[in-house]
């Protein structure tokens, strides 16, 4: 290993550039070409690459410093190079507070005092905030276990006038972060606990919580990553700030943040394409474009895609521990379909109970026959058959609306979808020509399709072409629910668990097995009277299954 300087390379004509982000910490191992830090000119942000592989031993600059070609920004123990006595002088120089090229990041600090051996714990407090109080934290820039330099940005706070970074008064290791995004801070509030090294080779700040409010001599810098001190970056739109999504840390320079604010883009939703997922201007522009496209296409992005503002998420982590996981494709597709149907279709749900006492007696009588055939007869085939009959008798339910052409599409076939609960989410295979099939055939086919759905073996064609959907929660429980129409179909039947109920027969109460039905329908296509006719018919058909033969 040998000590090697990391210098600012040719900046393509730019004279002095500003450091807007430092992407490594002392102790980090880097590969050749890994980004060490990012500088920003008035035209672009550029990452400075590592000249080789090794371990960072020193950072000579801080965010906000201006550097030019040839300046040393960091030192590293280069991998593969021979170590030896000649390394030592440089290593010593590194332990000093400054090197000739750097822009004296610590010049405003109180006189440092040498300490020898060990380390001590310091609680860092919020310094004076230019008279502001209760300023929300918009970004926590450190995590437990991080090794940070003096002046490293700890948190970013944002008032209605400006955003600013609170810098670390010490170099050391973060032990505990005491604030979270969304917290409101005032002078003297506790920010974090950190172990500050005070071995003989390192200089430490002689400050104490009591004497100086810990970090209070260290004024917050106007919006960090690049904005030089005394030039607060005014954030005119900060009142429209959305709390960031939990767990999301945003890496972006001030110019990019400003652009996002101006465009009203929530940066916690933008995927950075820069090094270490840093968000670039192009990412913000692409995100805004895609949101606009989704809105035009009626999709459901962060918002609803309908002009209705999306639901803003609070920072859930303020209430307790959370974990985030990406949605599966199926969940994302289902979510977007449900939302589209819910927003496009004026839903009404009609409820009815069907007396299935006789049907149930018949079903049970078929148990032995079912075992012989290897098919289980559940209530579902009867319901399928009843729905097919009702769709034939009330064809206004077997349509789709073409609102663009102002036409009603009448279907001359009766294909029915059945919602299947699978470990991967909801799937809706379709049974074709239900009206032409017998109960055993329907029992076998629905069981086979449900199994295929659970095994993720359904072909796309097996999930297309439904005129109507049945969603049965009868095997699970519940007394009624309001299913969402699987648009462009115009109705869906929800089936809940059958239960014994006392039914008045004109002279006394009889115990009858009643099956709750919930028919949701698109009120543009179907009127309430027809819906009541449909559920009454279903109730009659299931109440006397002989009528299914007629
Ligand atoms: N009332 C009382 N019992 C019922 C019933 C009802 N309405 N419906 C079914 N059952 C009974 C069945 O008879 C069976 O009991 P036995 O084993 O004693 O015979 C048991 O409940 C389990 O039935 P099943 O669920 O295996 O079969 P099914 O034909 O009724 O349903 C299917 C098949 C695929 C619809 C079902 O398994 C399923 O996935 N349902 C969930 C659908 C869903 O998630 N819908 C929500 C969509 S919206 O989010």
């Amino acid at each position: 290993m040998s000590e090697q300087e990391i210098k600012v390379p040719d900046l393509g004509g730019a004279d002095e550039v500003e450091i807007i982000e430092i992407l490594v910490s002392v102790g980090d191992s880097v590969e050749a070409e890994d980004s060490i830090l990012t500088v920003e000119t008035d035209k672009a942000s550029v990452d400075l690459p590592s000249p080789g592989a090794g371990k960072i031993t020193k950072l000579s600059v801080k965010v906000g410093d201006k550097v030019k070609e040839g300046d040393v920004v960091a030192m590293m123990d280069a991998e593969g190079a021979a170590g030896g006595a000649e390394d030592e002088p440089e290593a010593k120089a590194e332990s000093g507070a400054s090197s000739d090229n750097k822009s004296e990041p610590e010049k405003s600090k109180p006189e440092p005092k040498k300490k020898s051996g060990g380390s001590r714990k310091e609680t860092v407090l919020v310094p004076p905030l230019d008279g502001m109080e209760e300023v929300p934290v918009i970004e926590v820039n450190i995590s437990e276990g991080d090794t940070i330099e003096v002046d490293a940005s700890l948190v970013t706070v944002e008032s209605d006038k400006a955003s600013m970074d609170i810098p670390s008064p010490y170099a050391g290791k973060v032990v505990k972060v005491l604030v979270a995004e969304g917290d409101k801070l005032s002078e003297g509030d506790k920010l974090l606990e950190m172990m500050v090294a005070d071995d003989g080779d390192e200089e430490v700040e002689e400050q104490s919580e009591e004497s100086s409010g810990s970090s209070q001599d260290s004024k917050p810098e106007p919006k960090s990553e690049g904005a030089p001190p005394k030039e607060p970056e005014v954030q005119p739109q900060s009142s429209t700030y959305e709390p960031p999504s939990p767990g999301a840390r945003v890496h972006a320079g001030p110019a990019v943040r400003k652009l996002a604010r101006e465009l009203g883009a929530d940066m916690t939703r933008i995927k950075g394409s820069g090094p270490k997922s840093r968000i670039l201007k192009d990412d913000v522009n692409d995100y805004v474009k895609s949101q606009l496209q989704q809105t035009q296409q009626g999709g459901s992005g962060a918002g609803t895609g309908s002009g209705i503002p999306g639901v803003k998420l609070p920072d859930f982590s303020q209430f307790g521990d959370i974990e985030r996981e990406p949605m599966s494709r199926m969940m994302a597709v289902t979510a977007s379909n449900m939302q589209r149907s819910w927003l496009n279709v004026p839903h009404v749900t009609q409820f009815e109970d069907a007396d299935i006492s006789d049907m149930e007696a018949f079903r049970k009588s078929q148990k032995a026959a079912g075992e012989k055939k290897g098919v289980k007869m559940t209530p579902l085939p009867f319901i399928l058959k009843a729905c097919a009959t009702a769709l034939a008798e009330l064809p206004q339910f077997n349509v789709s609306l073409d609102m663009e052409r102002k036409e009603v599409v009448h279907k001359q076939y009766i294909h029915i979808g059945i919602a299947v609960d699978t470990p991967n989410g909801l799937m809706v295979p379709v049974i074709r020509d239900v009206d032409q099939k017998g109960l055993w055939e329907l029992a076998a086919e629905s069981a086979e399709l449900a199994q295929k759905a659970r095994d993720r073996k359904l072909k796309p064609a097996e999930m297309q072409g439904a005129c109507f959907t049945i969603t049965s929660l009868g095997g699970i429980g519940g007394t009624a629910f309001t299913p969402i129409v699987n648009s462009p179909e115009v109705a869906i039947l929800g089936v809940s668990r059958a239960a014994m109920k006392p039914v008045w027969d004109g002279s006394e109460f009889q115990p009858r097995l009643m099956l709750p039905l919930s028919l949701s329908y698109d009120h543009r296509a179907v009127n309430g009277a027809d819906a009541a006719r449909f559920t009454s018919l279903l109730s009659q058909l299931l109440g006397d299954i002989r009528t299914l033969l007629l």
Side-chain angles (χ1 to χ4, degrees):
M1 293 264 186
S2 76
E3 201 81 28
Q4 185 178 347
E5 291 177 335
I6 303 179
K7 290 183 179 174
V8 177
D10 180 359
L11 292 166
D15 205 354
E16 255 197 345
V17 290
E18 193 171 308
I19 296 174
I20 60 164
E21 188 162 19
I22 296 180
L23 304 162
V24 293
S25 306
V26 172
D28 280 0
S29 294
V30 292
E31 295 296 322
E33 298 299 315
D34 270 1
S35 298
I36 300 294
L37 48 81
T38 309
V39 295
E40 194 167 66
T41 66
D42 50 350
K43 295 197 197 77
S45 35
V46 180
D47 283 336
L48 301 192
S50 169
K55 195 172 208 171
I56 302 293
T57 55
K58 183 185 181 191
L59 287 168
S60 323
V61 289
K62 63 177 175 30
V63 166
D65 282 352
K66 298 241 166 83
V67 288
K68 56 185 183 318
E69 183 182 341
D71 281 352
V72 177
V73 294
M75 303 291 291
M76 67 188 288
D77 264 339
E79 236 171 58
E86 55 190 298
D87 294 341
E88 278 184 34
E90 281 194 75
K92 281 246 168 68
E94 172 217 327
S95 69
S98 62
S99 64
D100 23 277
N101 65 295
K102 71 181 204 175
S103 45
E104 299 175 50
E106 289 153 23
K107 68 177 178 211
S108 62
K109 295 282 158 302
E111 198 56 21
K113 180 182 165 187
K114 292 232 176 199
K115 290 210 167 187
S116 59
S119 59
R120 64 177 198 280
K121 196 187 223 177
E122 286 285 350
T123 304
V124 178
L125 305 183
V126 175
L129 294 169
D130 289 338
M132 292 181 292
E133 289 199 338
E134 300 273 298
V135 189
V137 175
I138 60 163
E139 198 171 343
V140 177
N141 303 316
I142 35 106
S143 311
E144 282 168 25
D146 281 0
T147 303
I148 55 171
E149 294 290 298
V150 172
D151 275 345
S153 167
L154 299 173
V155 298
T156 308
V157 293
E158 190 169 66
S159 72
D160 51 357
K161 294 197 203 80
S163 60
M164 60 183 82
D165 278 3
I166 298 182
S168 174
Y170 308 115
K173 190 163 188 174
V174 178
V175 178
K176 197 169 188 189
V177 179
L178 303 169
V179 292
E181 284 166 2
D183 283 358
K184 295 202 169 143
L185 299 181
S186 302
E187 179 182 348
D189 287 348
K190 290 183 179 173
L191 276 178
L192 75 153
E193 288 170 1
M194 61 190 289
M195 291 310 293
V196 178
D198 48 17
D199 58 31
D201 284 344
E202 284 209 29
E203 289 179 344
V204 292
E205 307 289 328
E206 177 72 348
Q207 283 179 303
S208 72
E209 216 176 290
E210 299 76 38
S211 66
S212 64
S214 189
S215 64
Q216 300 198 3
D217 288 347
S218 199
K219 289 256 180 202
E221 287 183 1
K223 176 61 195 138
S224 72
E225 301 170 25
K230 296 181 194 68
E231 283 176 30
E233 185 187 336
V234 176
Q235 314 291 334
Q237 298 192 10
S238 59
S239 60
T240 59
Y241 165 71
E242 292 181 26
S245 297
R249 280 190 67 179
V250 171
H251 295 286
V256 175
R257 288 173 188 274
K258 196 162 177 243
L259 176 69
R261 282 196 191 90
E262 282 166 3
L263 296 174
D266 177 353
M267 294 193 77
T268 62
R269 296 182 185 278
I270 302 176
K271 203 160 177 264
S273 65
K276 300 204 172 176
S277 301
R278 185 181 174 74
I279 299 172
L280 309 175
K281 279 185 177 174
D282 280 351
D283 298 325
V284 176
N285 287 327
D286 288 350
Y287 173 79
V288 171
K289 265 187 226 156
S290 76
Q291 290 298 297
L292 283 171
Q293 267 164 12
Q294 280 185 12
T295 304
Q296 280 156 11
Q297 290 161 7
S300 56
T304 60
S306 63
I308 300 171
V311 175
K312 291 196 173 38
L313 297 182
D315 177 0
F316 299 105
S317 64
Q318 67 186 298
F319 309 121
D321 290 346
I322 56 158
E323 212 178 290
R324 292 189 142 235
E325 63 163 338
M327 281 186 195
S328 66
R329 207 183 114 65
M330 196 191 292
M331 186 177 178
V333 168
T334 304
S336 127
N337 286 345
M338 290 290 174
Q339 186 171 27
R340 194 177 307 136
S341 288
W342 180 252
L343 289 169
N344 281 302
V345 175
H347 279 77
V348 179
T349 307
Q350 172 73 37
F351 302 99
E352 178 79 88
D353 277 351
D355 183 342
I356 57 165
S357 312
D358 297 340
M359 182 193 102
E360 200 55 8
F362 174 73
R363 188 178 75 87
K364 284 195 174 135
S365 73
Q366 296 303 306
K367 205 169 170 209
E371 277 164 12
K372 258 195 209 160
K373 290 176 191 281
V375 179
K376 187 173 164 190
M377 183 68 82
T378 66
L380 185 63
F382 296 90
I383 299 166
L384 274 162
K385 204 74 197 149
C387 287
T389 306
L391 285 169
E393 282 202 27
L394 296 163
Q396 57 271 49
F397 284 84
N398 196 5
V399 300
S400 283
L401 302 183
D402 184 339
M403 295 307 289
E404 249 172 50
R405 292 165 64 168
K406 300 276 179 299
E407 286 174 3
V408 178
V409 182
H410 295 272
K411 296 157 197 177
Q412 315 295 329
Y413 51 88
I414 298 181
H415 305 338
I416 298 182
I418 43 170
V420 179
D421 178 34
T422 80
N424 305 305
L426 183 67
M427 303 198 80
V428 189
V430 180
I431 304 186
R432 304 196 118 66
D433 302 313
V434 176
D435 52 324
Q436 294 164 35
K437 290 178 179 164
L439 288 171
W440 287 117
E441 203 178 349
L442 292 173
E445 199 175 332
S446 55
E448 189 194 323
L449 286 172
Q451 195 52 48
K452 269 182 148 177
R454 289 180 183 124
D455 296 343
R456 305 185 78 162
K457 289 200 173 129
L458 283 176
K459 298 192 187 97
E462 290 173 313
M463 292 185 281
Q464 289 164 2
C467 312
F468 180 86
T469 295
I470 296 173
T471 170
S472 171
L473 296 176
I476 304 169
T479 52
F481 61 112
T482 54
I484 295 178
V485 172
N486 202 1
S487 187
E489 296 158 34
V490 297
I492 181 169
L493 181 73
V495 181
S496 297
R497 191 164 188 77
M500 293 299 289
K501 287 189 181 167
V503 177
W504 187 250
D505 71 359
S507 50
E508 56 186 338
F509 281 107
Q510 299 288 347
R512 306 295 294 176
L513 186 62
M514 304 302 287
L515 180 73
L517 305 173
S518 309
L519 178 81
S520 290
Y521 58 93
D522 182 339
H523 209 342
R524 294 171 304 174
V526 172
N527 64 38
D530 286 339
R533 281 185 196 105
F534 194 94
T535 52
S536 296
L537 179 57
L538 284 182
S539 169
Q540 271 172 40
L541 294 164
L542 294 169
D544 184 352
I545 52 169
R546 290 170 306 177
T547 52
L548 286 174
L549 300 170
L550 299 176

